[in-house]
Amino acid sequence: MDGVKIIEIKKSVFESNDREADALRRELKQKGVFLLNLMSSPGSGKTSTLIRTINLIKNKLHTAVMEADIDSDVDAVKIKAETGVESIQLHTGGMCHLDAEMTRQGLDGLNLKDLDLVILENVGNLVCPAEFDTGSCKNAMILSVPEGDDKPLKYPLMFSVCDLVLINKMDVQPYFDFDLEKCRQNILRRNPKAQMIPISAKTGEGVEVFAQWLTDEVRDWKK
């Protein structure tokens, strides 16, 4: 029908969010605070990985965690109890991701002047969180062995936006049809610049490497 106006809402939403995300990154840079956006599917081991990692770095980096979930405060309580660092819960009101404005609201609940590092544990989902820039300094994700080595082919955007991929639950690799080298190649097909670290949150394998990566990234951000 002639004369009908078509509005590309999705494009407009993303463009507006990107502007807010860039502004938030600039503010974090000025304050010397590094924000890591950690994503994954549910059950991949985000919280367990964070507990192991934070206990390795908390005496070097003043750290806080923002736990994003549709409901409950289970993860925030667990992080606080097992690491002692400040942890706040963000309820998304049914949304399956955080955007830059939601992230800013969470950061407003923290005393940033006392912090070096804030870790955002995003909602467990391999689709929506990858679409929205949160204003983070770096994006990381966890892929667990039971999910399969073909996930980078099925969820290309998630792997293309991440600077680091943690391949978790390596302790159970012998029990699954999971080819680590094939997984690496699939990730590199989506993102040739992605770094990868095999870990086990249960045994601690590789977690020190991730902790060092985080420490180096925070140091470089503060320069």
Side-chain angles (χ1 to χ4, degrees), residues 68-219:
D69 283 298
I70 293 174
D71 203 352
S72 90
D73 60 358
V74 172
D75 290 340
V77 170
K78 189 173 184 180
I79 289 281
K80 176 66 175 177
E82 299 195 28
T83 68
V85 304
E86 184 176 7
S87 179
I88 62 174
Q89 186 71 51
L90 308 180
H91 285 166
T92 64
M95 297 182 71
C96 59
H97 67 275
L98 259 68
D99 59 22
E101 176 56 30
M102 296 163 74
T103 302
R104 182 187 292 278
Q105 291 178 40
L107 291 170
D108 287 345
L110 299 170
N111 189 2
L112 294 182
K113 69 181 181 63
D114 294 331
L115 294 173
D116 302 305
L117 168 66
V118 177
I119 301 173
L120 168 61
E121 183 177 336
N122 215 317
V123 180
N125 189 309
L126 286 180
V127 181
C128 303
E131 295 183 328
F132 288 85
D133 189 342
T134 61
S136 64
C137 310
K138 293 285 184 178
N139 291 321
M141 74 153 303
I142 297 177
L143 170 66
S144 65
V145 164
E147 294 175 77
D149 52 39
D150 60 352
K151 281 296 180 291
L153 305 180
K154 295 181 178 181
Y155 299 92
L157 182 60
M158 173 59 73
F159 290 86
S160 67
V161 302
C162 285
D163 304 283
L164 175 70
V165 178
L166 301 172
I167 304 173
N168 191 25
K169 304 188 181 180
M170 290 300 297
D171 53 299
V172 300
Q173 185 184 8
Y175 308 103
F176 288 88
D177 184 18
F178 183 92
D179 187 323
L180 181 59
E181 183 54 34
K182 184 184 293 184
C183 184
R184 288 180 184 275
Q185 293 305 316
N186 288 339
I187 291 170
L188 291 174
R189 282 178 62 184
R190 298 305 187 191
N191 185 354
K193 296 181 179 180
Q195 295 180 254
M196 287 162 271
I197 304 175
I199 67 168
S200 168
K202 183 175 181 179
T203 68
E205 173 191 349
V207 178
E208 288 189 359
V209 180
F210 174 44
Q212 187 60 55
W213 179 88
L214 256 183
T215 302
D216 292 342
E217 290 293 333
V218 174
R219 180 198 62 212

